[in-house]
Amino acid sequence: IITTPEGEVLTYTQKLACIATAYSCNGQPGITYSGTPARIGAIAVDPTVIPLGTRMYVVTNDGEYIYGICTAEDIGGSIKGNKVDLYFNTFDECWIFGIRDCTVYILE
């Protein structure tokens, strides 16, 4: 189990070591591969590794970011293997986030 900083207890079935990058529509409307609005919590994955619709909890290994609960709703040409692309509201936030090692917990 995982206990979030807010005290919520989450049960996970699998833990993956991944590389996390960041993407944004920078305030413009965007649509994910699944047809949902691009937003915080809608992340891009390689669907051969993490199926679309999968709920996850993402934490960077350096402890600086707890992205939190999210859903695999998007895919991307450069998102292959154990890589996730986390949505942020602005390009500046993406630039600050950069590329980080993370742990992805696949939730029940």
Side-chain angles (χ1 to χ4, degrees):
I1 64 169
I2 304 164
T3 303
T4 69
E6 297 79 26
E8 184 178 0
V9 176
L10 305 171
T11 304
Y12 68 92
T13 59
Q14 187 177 8
K15 183 167 96 169
L16 300 172
C18 292
I19 301 293
T21 54
Y23 79 104
S24 178
C25 297
N26 207 33
Q28 301 300 313
I31 301 297
T32 67
Y33 183 84
S34 298
T36 60
R39 67 197 182 288
I40 291 180
I43 71 169
V45 300
D46 177 343
T48 66
V49 176
I50 300 172
L52 290 172
T54 300
R55 288 185 66 237
M56 297 158 280
Y57 187 80
V58 178
V59 180
T60 60
N61 293 351
D62 61 13
E64 289 190 36
Y65 286 86
I66 298 173
Y67 193 78
I69 297 172
C70 50
T71 306
E73 297 181 23
D74 208 356
I75 60 174
S78 64
I79 309 303
K80 301 292 183 210
N82 283 29
K83 186 173 181 183
V84 294
D85 207 12
L86 309 177
Y87 184 88
F88 288 90
N89 287 325
T90 67
F91 291 145
D92 287 343
E93 290 173 292
C94 293
W95 184 257
I96 292 166
F97 181 82
I99 299 171
R100 297 173 187 256
D101 293 327
C102 70
T103 301
V104 174
Y105 298 90
I106 306 297
L107 301 178
E108 287 189 330

